[in-house]
Amino acid sequence: MYLKKKEQLQILDAINAAELQTSGEIRVHVEGICEEDNPLDRAAWLFGELGMEKTARRNGVLIYLALKSHRIAIIGDCGINSKVESNFWDSTLQAMQQLLTQGRTVEAIEQGVRLVGEQMKSLFPYEVEDINELPDVISFGK
């Protein structure tokens, strides 16, 4: 297991806090090795496998980490991609990478979730009829 139970709960708390502010959905996937040349390719495949495109507003975001490979990626569905600034994903990845290089994995993930959540809040604010469209879980790979 790549994250202790307490660390998983911290990340889930960050996801829940972010999603209370938005109709968007955030998921985190953690594994050891990224076998793709580009981690974004792996994240895109996982995005489909996890059903991230199944939100009404197409505003799901997947944060992907391969800890042993030291690779990260963030992929958003077409609804959010059409609205964020062109450098948003890169700047979020840079903020996470700074913490990861210091060995602060959980803080890096929390930072990514917080930044994505803030962006989603401004683009897809929470509305009374919003429902949680995807499970709030961390998925794990090999």
Side-chain angles (χ1 to χ4, degrees), residues 58-82:
R58 300 296 300 265
N59 56 1
V61 174
L62 176 64
I63 298 174
Y64 168 78
L65 295 95
L67 298 177
K68 291 179 182 177
S69 299
H70 305 287
R71 310 294 269 311
I72 59 174
I74 302 175
I75 188 164
D77 207 343
C78 59
I80 190 165
N81 277 341
S82 67

Side-chain angles (χ1 to χ4, degrees), residues 15-114:
I15 291 170
N16 289 327
E19 288 187 358
L20 285 175
Q21 307 284 325
T22 179
S23 65
E25 297 287 335
I26 302 169
R27 300 259 331 247
V28 172
H29 182 87
V30 179
E31 58 189 15
I33 304 291
C34 177
E35 296 178 358
E36 303 285 338
D37 290 334
N38 183 342
L40 196 53
D41 291 340
R42 175 72 174 149
W45 184 82
L46 286 164
F47 194 92
E49 284 295 298
L50 295 171
M52 296 291 298
E53 77 288 350
K54 295 178 181 175
T55 61
R57 294 187 179 109
R58 300 296 300 265
N59 56 1
V61 174
L62 176 64
I63 298 174
Y64 168 78
L65 295 95
L67 298 177
K68 291 179 182 177
S69 299
H70 305 287
R71 310 294 269 311
I72 59 174
I74 302 175
I75 188 164
D77 207 343
C78 59
I80 190 165
N81 277 341
S82 67
K83 295 184 177 198
V84 294
E85 296 285 328
S86 60
N87 67 341
F88 173 70
W89 303 119
D90 288 337
S91 64
T92 302
L93 285 171
Q94 288 173 358
M96 291 177 66
Q97 192 64 53
Q98 277 186 316
L99 293 166
L100 285 170
T101 57
Q102 298 170 10
R104 298 162 58 191
T105 303
V106 174
E107 290 174 69
I109 298 169
E110 289 175 316
Q111 174 78 332
V113 168
R114 186 182 61 75

